[in-house]
């Protein structure tokens, strides 16, 4: 590929897309590997073989049919990671109901919105999680009070008689009803709504089909070489694509085992799960891997069973990737890049990629997909090596935002390219590097500054555990750089002068942070995405920059 080539690549593959529903795929796997373990829920001590798991899914599916849930009806799931979450995921798919993932961190404002916007008919819910009283919040928004809705609403609480009654009804039902329903389903049917956490306004419901998420999960599994011998440790949230698609569907489409270490991320429980279950694969966002590596008892756990895993959710620091490959035995660990609207993975590193490729890029385009990098101002592909907006096209692009055609048209153009909002470059071999968000780009005195470059540089400092760089208002330059830093345990706190001195002579002067803020943690979403918008808002108060922020610029 010459230097003048455009930043476009398509994923050529000899492996065909799966043309089946999630239910059909699960049944095929269960028939091939009936006695292999499918699901382990360590918090409750329960285990299912594939034959048992498929049978348990059918009971929940029939229970939902008995409850009057029809094809296309929306069924909410609001719970931390647990076996019932996974059973509900596959049961709704088997009957053609649309599973609506509700973020475990939601409060009544967001909960009420997604219930109304998706017109949920039934919610499978935990009673509580951490400080959240789900039962009280559901009562507060009026769910289950039929006079509030044109159609009856039903509540099923996990671990209570409602769940047991649902399963019992399914067990007593005629299995032929499930076969009849399955015969009406197509793999392009909508099967899942995932609300993306918008930085402003209400979230949008990305609507995904069997074809979208089954194939994405399958090809992620292919990318890390899954077989029925693999055991996949999933400390990432099931309510997000990372857990339910890259985790569950990647596993079940290959006959691998899903291991749930705890209801929510706990570094020690995760390390213990890898050891006790002899897991071969471990998932996490970079902050999770950092927490595991820096855990006081890290050296006590036998992680030698690991060979692979996936790091995704936010850009991975090079130094963290190297430690994961070396100290956690994950020599084949992959980096995945994507977004909910693309089911989610668009690019991925491969097992035979060098460590440099796996630490400096987010890999190449996935099979059967296309990616291009375009100039935001023209929409035309840029030359290889030049930054622009990353776009994805193919089977993985969502059906649209639920009941929001205008918002869909803003994100997916007439040629069916999904615009990610991420700034990226593509090299001559087709490897993609994410250099920031379009909204994160800092323009300091006319110079374009990509925070990711400065973050990668500062990660090399021996006392810095994690770092995020943002732009803050400045009266002279328009924007200045601010580094938020988490120190390594037992390291002496760094001053702003020390950080600047470390950069001096090694970074261009306009890339050296003017401000340094030491913190214990970053504001982030439940899925581990750093909320730089919130960091900028806090910076206005921390640095008293409200007057600079009020200055209008062209």
């Amino acid at each position: 590929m010459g230097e003048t080539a455009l930043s476009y690549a398509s994923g050529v593959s000899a492996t065909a897309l799966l043309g089946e529903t999630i239910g059909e795929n699960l049944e095929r796997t269960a028939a091939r590997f009936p006695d292999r373990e499918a699901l382990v829920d360590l918090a409750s001590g329960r285990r299912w073989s594939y034959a048992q798991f498929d049978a348990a899914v059918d009971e929940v599916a029939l229970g939902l049919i008995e409850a009057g849930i029809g094809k296309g009806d929306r069924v909410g799931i609001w719970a931390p990671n647990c076996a019932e979450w996974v059973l509900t995921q596959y049961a709704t798919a088997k009957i053609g109901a649309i599973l609506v993932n509700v973020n475990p961190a939601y409060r009544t404002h967001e909960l009420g919105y997604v219930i109304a916007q998706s017109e949920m008919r039934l919610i499978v819910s935990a009673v509580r999680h951490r400080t959240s009283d789900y039962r009280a919040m559901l009562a507060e928004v009026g769910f289950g009070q039929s006079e509030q809705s044109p159609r009856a609403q039903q509540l099923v609480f996990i671990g209570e008689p409602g769940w047991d009654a649902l399963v019992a009804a399914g067990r007593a039902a005629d299995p032929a009803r499930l076969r009849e329903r399955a015969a009406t389903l197509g793999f392009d049917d909508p099967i899942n709504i995932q609300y993306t956490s918008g930085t402003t306004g209400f979230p949008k419901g990305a609507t995904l089909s069997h074809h979208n998420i089954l194939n994405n999960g399958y090809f992620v599994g292919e990318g890390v070489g899954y077989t029925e011998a693999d055991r996949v440790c999933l400390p990432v949230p099931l309510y997000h694509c990372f857990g339910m698609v890259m985790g569950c569907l990647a596993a079940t489409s290959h006959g691998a085992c899903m291991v749930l270490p705890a209801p929510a991320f706990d570094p020690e429980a995760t390390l213990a799960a890898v050891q006790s279950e002899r897991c071969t694969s471990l998932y996490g966002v970079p902050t999770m891997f950092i927490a595991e590596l820096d855990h006081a008892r890290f050296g006590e756990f036998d992680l030698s069973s690991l060979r692979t895993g996936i790091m995704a959710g936010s850009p991975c620091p090079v130094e963290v990737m190297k430690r994961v490959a070396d100290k956690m035995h994950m020599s084949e660990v992959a980096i995945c890049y994507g977004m909910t609207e693309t089911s989610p993975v668009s690019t991925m590193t491969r097992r035979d990629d060098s460590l440099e490729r796996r630490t400096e890029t987010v890999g190449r385009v996935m099979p059967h997909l296309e990616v291009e990098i375009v100039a935001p101002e023209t929409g035309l592909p840029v030359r290889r090596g030049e930054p622009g907006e990353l776009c994805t096209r193919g089977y993985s692009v969502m059906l649209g935002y639920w009941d929001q055609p205008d918002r869909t048209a803003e994100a997916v153009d007439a040629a069916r390219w999904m615009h990610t909002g991420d700034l990226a470059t593509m090299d001559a071999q087709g490897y993609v590097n994410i250099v920031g968000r379009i909204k994160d780009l800092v323009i300091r005195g006319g110079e374009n500054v990509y925070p990711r470059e400065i973050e990668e540089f500062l990660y090399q400092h021996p006392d810095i555990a994690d770092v995020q760089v943002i732009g803050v208002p400045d009266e002279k330059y328009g924007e200045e750089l601010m580094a938020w830093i988490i120190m390594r345990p037992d390291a002496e706190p760094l001053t702003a002068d020390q950080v600047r001195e470390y950069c001096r002579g090694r970074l261009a002067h306009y890339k050296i942070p003017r401000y340094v803020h030491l913190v214990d943690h970053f504001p982030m979403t439940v899925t581990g995405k750093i909320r730089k918008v919130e960091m900028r808002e806090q910076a206005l108060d921390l640095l008293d920059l409200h007057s600079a922020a009020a200055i209008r610029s062209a």
Side-chain angles (χ1 to χ4, degrees):
M1 192 70 72
E3 287 184 10
T4 59
L6 296 177
S7 296
Y8 167 85
S10 60
V12 178
S13 177
T15 305
L17 287 166
L18 300 174
E20 60 191 351
T21 64
I22 289 168
E24 289 167 336
N25 183 263
L26 175 61
E27 289 167 8
R28 204 156 53 80
T29 299
R32 289 172 64 207
F33 309 112
D35 300 324
R36 293 205 75 94
E37 233 166 25
L39 176 63
V40 177
D41 182 10
L42 285 169
S44 66
R46 294 172 294 168
R47 297 170 181 269
W48 289 260
S49 68
Y50 264 98
Q52 292 166 337
F53 179 69
D54 190 41
V57 167
D58 283 357
E59 289 175 353
V60 178
L62 281 162
L64 291 169
I65 290 175
E66 292 292 311
I69 299 300
K71 176 183 175 181
D73 282 344
R74 272 72 70 203
V75 173
I77 176 80
W78 194 25
N81 287 11
C82 61
E84 287 81 4
W85 209 112
V86 185
L87 291 169
T88 303
Q89 174 188 342
Y90 287 84
T92 49
K94 279 207 178 192
I95 67 170
I98 300 175
L99 185 72
V100 181
N101 302 10
V102 184
N103 186 326
Y106 274 179
R107 293 295 186 260
T108 52
H109 185 59
E110 300 116 326
L111 175 67
Y113 174 77
V114 299
I115 286 172
Q117 206 273 332
S118 66
E119 297 182 302
M120 274 183 221
R121 287 206 57 206
L122 183 148
I123 295 182
V124 175
S125 176
V127 175
R128 60 170 52 253
H129 174 55
R130 290 179 168 167
T131 60
S132 298
D133 185 337
Y134 290 175
R135 193 200 307 273
M137 283 191 271
L138 284 162
E140 188 176 332
V141 300
F143 190 86
Q145 300 170 18
S146 56
E147 67 272 11
Q148 304 258 334
S149 170
R151 301 182 71 184
Q153 296 176 328
Q154 301 176 66
L155 256 176
V156 176
F157 283 108
I158 295 167
E160 293 209 342
W163 175 265
D164 295 336
L166 179 80
V167 173
R171 195 174 293 140
D174 182 356
R177 297 194 68 188
L178 190 53
R179 300 297 113 206
E180 290 165 4
R181 179 66 66 84
T184 71
L185 307 182
F187 58 70
D188 285 325
D189 294 337
I191 202 64
N192 186 216
I193 298 175
Q194 298 199 32
Y195 282 89
T196 61
S197 49
T199 52
T200 57
F202 281 109
K204 306 181 291 287
T207 307
L208 306 170
S209 67
H210 295 269
H211 200 62
N212 287 151
I213 61 177
L214 174 60
N215 277 290
N216 204 261
Y218 175 68
F219 280 101
V220 166
E222 290 287 286
V224 288
Y226 283 161
T227 70
E228 68 276 12
D230 280 293
R231 300 175 67 79
V232 188
C233 186
L234 298 174
V236 295
L238 289 171
Y239 89 87
H240 188 261
C241 274
F242 201 172
M244 68 166 282
V245 179
M246 298 159 67
C248 296
L249 286 168
T252 59
S253 59
H254 290 86
C257 179
M258 303 168 279
V259 177
L260 306 181
F265 175 63
D266 178 304
E268 187 166 325
T270 301
L271 294 167
V274 170
Q275 175 176 279
S276 67
E277 296 299 319
R278 306 302 296 156
C279 293
T280 59
S281 176
L282 173 61
Y283 287 16
V285 299
T287 51
M288 290 180 177
F289 283 105
I290 290 168
E292 291 153 10
L293 285 160
D294 290 343
H295 192 276
R297 295 188 57 206
F298 175 79
E300 298 175 30
F301 295 97
D302 178 5
L303 309 179
S304 60
S305 58
L306 288 172
R307 68 168 180 85
T308 190
I310 294 174
M311 207 180 291
S314 58
C316 174
V318 171
E319 295 305 311
V320 174
M321 185 70 160
K322 289 176 179 174
R323 290 172 71 200
V324 166
D326 180 37
K327 298 185 181 303
M328 299 181 83
H329 307 281
M330 294 167 62
S331 60
E332 298 177 19
V333 64
I335 293 285
C336 289
Y337 163 81
M339 60 193 306
T340 304
E341 290 89 338
T342 55
S343 302
V345 181
S346 296
T347 71
M348 182 175 178
T349 58
R350 309 302 200 261
R351 285 184 292 165
D352 57 356
D353 281 337
S354 66
L355 184 63
E356 286 70 34
R357 290 288 194 197
R358 282 186 282 141
T359 54
E360 294 170 7
T361 78
V362 291
R364 291 168 287 164
V365 62
M366 291 287 281
H368 302 286
L369 294 179
E370 299 169 274
V371 295
E372 68 173 358
I373 297 173
V374 303
E377 57 274 13
T378 65
L380 296 174
V382 298
R383 300 290 175 189
R384 296 273 173 124
E386 294 178 7
E389 183 182 17
L390 182 60
C391 300
T392 301
R393 182 165 67 180
Y395 77 81
S396 70
V397 174
M398 65 175 178
L399 300 178
Y401 292 120
W402 183 259
D403 202 24
Q404 290 186 302
D406 293 348
R407 303 298 292 276
T408 303
E410 291 171 7
V412 183
D413 68 26
R416 289 294 296 165
W417 286 104
M418 176 74 211
H419 289 253
T420 66
D422 284 322
L423 287 165
T425 59
M426 182 185 294
D427 71 12
Q429 286 73 45
Y431 287 86
V432 173
N433 184 28
I434 306 298
V435 295
R437 294 282 295 166
I438 289 177
K439 293 175 182 174
D440 288 344
L441 176 68
V442 178
I443 304 176
R444 182 194 180 277
E447 298 278 5
N448 286 3
V449 182
Y450 298 96
R452 178 80 194 277
E453 178 190 355
I454 302 162
E455 290 162 1
E456 290 291 1
F457 172 76
L458 288 174
Y459 274 121
Q460 298 172 36
H461 192 292
D463 294 333
I464 292 176
D466 209 350
V467 57
Q468 295 292 320
V469 173
I470 60 171
V472 296
D474 184 76
E475 293 183 8
K476 181 177 180 181
Y477 293 106
E479 285 186 286
E480 265 290 6
L481 295 168
M482 180 183 188
W484 288 46
I485 292 173
I486 296 175
M487 303 298 299
R488 286 199 188 283
D490 304 324
E492 288 293 318
L494 290 168
T495 65
D497 284 341
Q498 288 172 320
V499 172
R500 286 193 289 267
E501 186 57 38
Y502 181 75
C503 298
R504 202 163 284 125
R506 302 164 79 189
L507 285 180
H509 71 91
Y510 62 86
K511 297 179 184 177
I512 297 175
R514 178 175 176 184
Y515 306 106
V516 172
H517 181 45
L518 302 186
V519 294
D520 295 325
H521 62 274
F522 304 126
M524 61 175 62
T525 66
V526 175
T527 54
K529 283 189 166 58
I530 308 295
R531 284 188 50 78
K532 287 195 172 183
V533 170
E534 191 174 325
M535 291 165 68
R536 279 189 284 268
E537 290 170 356
Q538 291 184 31
L540 296 182
D541 291 328
L542 287 166
L543 305 173
D544 192 19
L545 296 174
H546 290 280
S547 59
I551 297 173
R552 289 188 170 275
S553 57

